[in-house]
Amino acid sequence: MPGIGSDREQVRALIAGDRAAFAQLFRQHNAAMVRVATGITGSRAVAEEVTQDAWVAVLKHIAGFEERSSLAGWIFTILVNRARSRARVEGRSVSFDAGGEDNSLAAAFDGRGHWKDTPALWEEITPDRIVAGRRMLDVVTAAIEALPPGQRAVMVLRGQQGLEAEEVCAILGINEGNMRVMLHRARLAVRAAIDRLER
Amino acid sequence: MLGLNCKQVVARSSALIDGELPFWEALQLRLHMAVCKGCTAFVHQMRVTRSLTLAAGQATPDDDAALAAVLARLASEGRDAG
Ligand SMILES: [Zn+2]
């Protein structure tokens, strides 16, 4: 993950109107932004609009960026705020709660909390196969896109874009305990999707 | 809390692989895993899941059209017009 130092250089380049610097930043975050915004707005098309608006806002206000967060944290704050207000306008209420108890593995254990069936070893999943076939990554992406908005946002921001835990909490307005619960549940869901593919 | 069961290990598996468990708790998980094939396999699966999640995020799609759209909007709106 880029540190504050490289943030500063990127910001300077953006203020100077450096297109290559913008293209690099764009490629780094755009897909993730669309993914997070789709979870919040419930529509890929709306999410693409919101993301485009967010980029325009980022470039317009880049001179006002103060290093109170990372550049990525600032960009995602702009994005999430815009996506939420767009969802609100459309009468969609979005909560980033962890929700109730997770039961996705309830059937996996016996009464004493021991495995009923031992989990598979996933011996088929090797780095070569992951690189060779996109299928596995597509399954992972599809599983992330099926998550509730909060889990999806945490998975993208923390698990893919590598934002710091405190930043993710600030962007989503949740506490760290909640964030960890959501990250864990999101991983359980993605794990289950991979496991189905393996069987 | 000596002797965690598998369900309790699973509940702490993300914290374990993220290095967020206190030392003694992590040690208890490792002691359990030393004698439990199921939990060893599960924690491995969670690590693989974490890596695949990261890899899926890096497999960036072709964003050129979206980038061009943003640049076109900026050009038409004027960068400093506010
Ligand atoms: Zn076990």
Side-chain angles (χ1 to χ4, degrees):
Chain A
M1 198 187 61
I4 295 288
S6 72
D7 270 7
R8 197 169 294 167
E9 281 163 35
Q10 256 180 324
V11 169
R12 213 175 285 146
L14 292 173
I15 292 172
D18 182 335
R19 284 204 168 200
F22 178 62
Q24 192 199 350
L25 187 70
F26 187 91
R27 295 209 169 87
Q28 203 178 334
H29 298 301
N30 189 64
M33 290 163 73
V34 172
R35 221 171 287 147
V36 169
T38 305
I40 297 170
T41 62
S43 149
R44 170 103 194 176
V46 172
E48 283 172 357
E49 259 176 57
V50 167
T51 302
Q52 195 185 99
D53 289 346
W55 278 120
V56 171
V58 163
L59 280 183
K60 279 186 179 164
H61 301 293
I62 188 70
F65 168 68
E66 295 164 11
E67 292 165 4
R68 264 180 272 153
S69 64
S70 67
L71 181 57
W74 184 67
I75 292 171
F76 278 99
T77 301
I78 292 173
L79 175 85
V80 168
N81 289 342
R82 279 170 182 259
R84 284 183 117 164
S85 51
R86 180 68 181 263
R88 219 173 295 129
V89 167
E90 294 183 359
R92 198 179 138 86
S93 81
V94 180
S95 99
F96 292 143
D97 293 344
E101 208 198 330
D102 179 68
N103 292 314
S104 62
L105 278 170
F109 303 106
D110 64 21
R112 291 176 307 140
H114 295 293
W115 293 107
K116 276 192 224 158
D117 296 308
T118 304
L121 268 173
W122 284 10
E123 284 168 318
E124 299 296 303
I125 304 178
T126 64
D128 311 349
R129 272 194 43 172
I130 293 161
V131 176
R134 285 215 29 113
R135 196 161 95 104
M136 187 72 79
L137 297 184
D138 290 342
V139 166
V140 169
T141 298
I144 292 170
E145 287 176 356
L147 293 169
Q151 287 183 32
R152 185 201 294 226
V154 169
M155 200 64 159
V156 173
L157 297 176
R158 185 87 178 115
Q160 295 190 317
Q161 299 303 103
L163 267 64
E164 295 297 336
E166 305 116 64
E167 266 189 343
V168 175
C169 293
I171 292 166
L172 302 177
I174 55 177
N175 66 43
E176 229 169 290
N178 251 332
M179 194 212 67
R180 291 190 203 295
V181 169
M182 282 197 264
L183 182 64
H184 181 61
R185 287 182 185 174
R187 275 191 194 141
L188 291 179
V190 173
R191 186 211 71 90
I194 300 168
D195 200 39
R196 279 193 292 276
L197 188 70
E198 277 298 287
R199 271 153 205 269
Chain B
M1 66 176 253
L2 213 116
L4 293 172
N5 65 30
C6 303
K7 199 175 171 180
Q8 291 167 321
V9 170
V10 164
R12 291 159 177 77
S13 55
S14 274
L16 178 75
I17 66 172
D18 290 336
E20 286 163 354
L21 282 185
F23 176 80
W24 288 109
E25 212 171 328
L27 185 66
Q28 285 192 316
L29 258 76
R30 291 186 195 289
L31 285 173
H32 176 104
M33 284 162 62
V35 294
C36 180
K37 275 189 190 159
C39 286
T40 302
F42 185 86
V43 169
H44 172 71
Q45 289 181 350
M46 290 295 269
R47 284 188 203 279
V48 171
T49 300
R50 185 179 60 179
S51 311
L52 288 175
T53 297
L54 189 64
Q58 285 162 348
T60 318
D62 185 7
D63 280 332
D64 289 352
L67 174 60
V70 172
L71 291 173
R73 254 185 74 182
L74 285 161
S76 70
E77 290 176 26
R79 265 198 76 144
D80 300 316

